[in-house]
Amino acid sequence: MKIGLFFGSFNPIHIGHLIIANTMATATDLEQVWFVVSPQNPFKKNSSLLHEFDRYDLVQRAIADNSVLKVTDVEFHMPKPSYTIDTLVRIQEKFPQHEFKLIMGEDNLSQFTNWKNHDKILEYTGLYVYPRPNSKNHSFKDHPAVKFIDAPLLDISATFLRSCLKDGRSIRYLVPEAVEQLIRIKKFYI
């Protein structure tokens, strides 16, 4: 099976994440997309980061009714911060029967050469890249291991959602109803 790996904090998961994942799983040669919930991104500060198990639960609720979307906690069992290349190797060792592709927003390509072993990532899995607002110039346009996917251009951020929740504003339609319910019940981000 060919599987796309969609890494992120998902703090919280929102419809932008879900639309991209579903597009990748239904409009490309990928058969599934797995959300890889990252306990700690080496490039991000962790001040407003909800606990990894809570973020995992939110993702699980968000994708419960979609058989082509899955979630994995593989990085929960790795040294922190975890680096993408290490996770890719771990997943491939755990599931040798599958072929994996890394899903990435185009806005990350301008910094991709700063990633640990970025050249090995290209060699190991290659990239499926979706468009993002304000993407900067990069040198990967014609790279044979980089596939650009026609997907909706979305500008929804988890930072905006957390701000809405903190200020008591609605997040209706920005997250699935089941996700909003759990956020409200557990008083996340308030």
Side-chain angles (χ1 to χ4, degrees), residues 1 12 33 43-44 53 75 79 97-98 107 117 135 152-153 180:
M1 187 180 301
V33 169
F43 293 110
K44 288 184 180 178
F53 294 120
E75 287 195 341
Q97 71 276 24
H98 298 314
D107 55 331
N117 296 339
S135 294
L153 185 64
E180 183 178 10

Side-chain angles (χ1 to χ4, degrees), residues 6 15-25 33 103 130-131 151-152 154:
F6 193 6
I15 61 155
H17 297 128
L18 296 167
I19 290 169
I20 293 300
N22 193 65
T23 298
M24 291 289 178
V33 169
I103 296 171
Y130 60 91
L154 300 163

Side-chain angles (χ1 to χ4, degrees), residues 11-151:
N11 188 40
I13 190 166
H14 54 69
I15 61 155
H17 297 128
L18 296 167
I19 290 169
I20 293 300
N22 193 65
T23 298
M24 291 289 178
T26 60
T28 70
D29 59 347
L30 298 174
E31 297 169 69
Q32 288 184 349
V33 169
W34 293 0
F35 287 87
V36 181
V37 179
S38 300
Q40 182 184 346
N41 180 325
F43 293 110
K44 288 184 180 178
K45 289 183 184 165
N46 144 14
S47 60
S48 63
L49 198 59
L50 199 61
H51 191 279
E52 59 209 49
F53 294 120
D54 292 323
R55 290 181 287 119
Y56 180 93
D57 288 345
L58 290 173
V59 172
Q60 212 167 28
R61 278 181 175 242
I63 64 172
D65 64 348
N66 190 330
S67 64
V68 296
L69 303 180
K70 308 287 182 201
V71 61
T72 177
D73 64 357
V74 65
E75 287 195 341
F76 296 8
H77 312 287
M78 296 177 67
K80 293 171 185 71
S82 43
Y83 293 92
T84 303
I85 186 63
D86 300 330
T87 306
L88 294 173
V89 169
R90 175 76 57 96
I91 287 176
Q92 191 64 71
E93 287 172 352
K94 201 170 175 183
F95 302 98
Q97 71 276 24
H98 298 314
E99 178 184 352
F100 294 98
K101 297 293 179 184
L102 178 60
I103 296 171
M104 177 188 291
E106 190 172 10
D107 55 331
N108 286 312
L109 285 181
S110 64
Q111 295 296 315
F112 184 59
T113 55
N114 296 335
W115 289 28
K116 179 183 175 186
N117 296 339
H118 77 279
D119 52 334
K120 296 289 183 208
I121 293 172
L122 288 169
E123 193 180 300
Y124 202 62
T125 64
L127 305 177
Y128 277 41
V129 178
Y130 60 91
R132 286 284 294 147
N134 306 315
S135 294
K136 296 184 176 129
N137 290 336
H138 54 79
S139 58
F140 295 97
K141 226 20 163 185
D142 298 313
H143 196 288
V146 180
K147 185 174 184 175
F148 290 87
I149 307 301
D150 183 25

